């Protein structure tokens, strides 16, 4: 299973990744598990796993997320593509709160679960750090 690991802390951010192969014919059977400050998304059919570790995100996500049917997959992919592009442009710059790049390939079909969670994390990160990625 290829893995996308997202480890987030108050002082630092680390995103280590291996992008899944493009599989547009795979069905998104992703599962989300939230417990003890750790959000885990996995889907063996799409060969990915995303782990977000940030105690603040779990609380924010449970109170601020929109229902899953609120967004289309196209909306999420477009937002994530733009936000990740800006995120990566800022990564590693002096005085930036963004330390690491996100390896998000817009040609890869990650499925709804990954895009939904990534969108919400990037939205959370912007609100907590009072910055805009677009």
């Amino acid at each position: 299973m290829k893995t996308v690991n997202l480890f987030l802390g108050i002082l630092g951010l680390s995103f280590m990744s291996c992008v899944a192969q493009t599989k547009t014919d795979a069905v998104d059977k992703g599962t989300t598990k939230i417990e003890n400050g750790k959000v885990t998304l996995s889907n063996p059919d799409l060969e990915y796993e995303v782990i977000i570790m940030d105690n603040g995100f779990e609380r924010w996500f449970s109170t601020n997320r929109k229902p899953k049917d609120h967004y289309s997959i196209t909306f999420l992919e477009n937002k994530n593509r733009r936000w990740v592009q800006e995120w990566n442009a800022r990564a590693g710059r002096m005085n930036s709160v963004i330390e690491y790049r996100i390896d998000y390939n817009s040609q890869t079909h990650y499925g709804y679960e990954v895009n939904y969670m990534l969108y919400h994390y990037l939205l959370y990160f912007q609100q907590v750090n009072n910055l805009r990625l677009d």
Side-chain angles (χ1 to χ4, degrees):
M1 174 180 278
K2 293 183 174 28
T3 303
V4 179
N5 292 321
L6 182 59
F7 299 100
L8 305 168
I10 294 173
L11 298 175
L13 173 69
S14 163
F15 190 89
M16 297 172 277
S17 64
C18 297
V19 178
Q21 297 174 3
T22 302
K23 292 191 174 192
T24 54
D25 58 340
V27 176
D28 186 3
K29 297 178 186 172
T31 59
T32 303
K33 181 178 169 185
I34 302 174
E35 63 181 23
N36 302 324
K38 179 178 171 182
V39 179
T40 304
L41 297 123
S42 60
N43 185 336
D45 291 344
L46 296 177
E47 297 182 354
Y48 70 76
E49 182 175 50
V50 176
I51 301 171
I52 302 171
M53 293 186 341
D54 184 329
N55 290 331
F57 177 67
E58 180 182 354
R59 175 178 283 175
W60 180 93
F61 183 70
S62 67
T63 59
N64 291 286
R65 69 179 172 205
K66 299 283 189 193
K68 287 190 178 175
D69 62 352
H70 184 78
Y71 304 107
S72 71
I73 185 70
T74 304
F75 171 84
L76 294 172
E77 288 172 338
N78 288 334
K79 268 301 196 195
N80 289 341
R81 185 182 67 250
R82 287 194 313 258
W83 284 354
V84 167
Q85 184 177 15
E86 180 59 25
W87 175 286
N88 288 340
R90 295 181 187 191
R93 288 186 185 167
M94 186 180 287
N95 299 324
S96 176
V97 294
I98 301 171
E99 297 179 11
Y100 299 95
R101 297 176 53 83
I102 296 174
D103 191 4
Y104 180 86
N105 182 344
S106 62
Q107 301 302 311
T108 300
H109 175 73
Y110 294 103
Y112 194 88
E113 285 288 325
V114 167
N115 281 289
Y116 179 78
M117 193 62 69
L118 179 59
Y119 169 80
H120 280 93
Y121 176 72
L122 293 171
L123 188 61
Y124 160 79
F125 187 84
Q126 291 176 82
Q127 289 178 3
V128 167
N129 292 288
N130 197 26
L131 61 88
R132 295 199 40 102
L133 292 173
D134 57 355

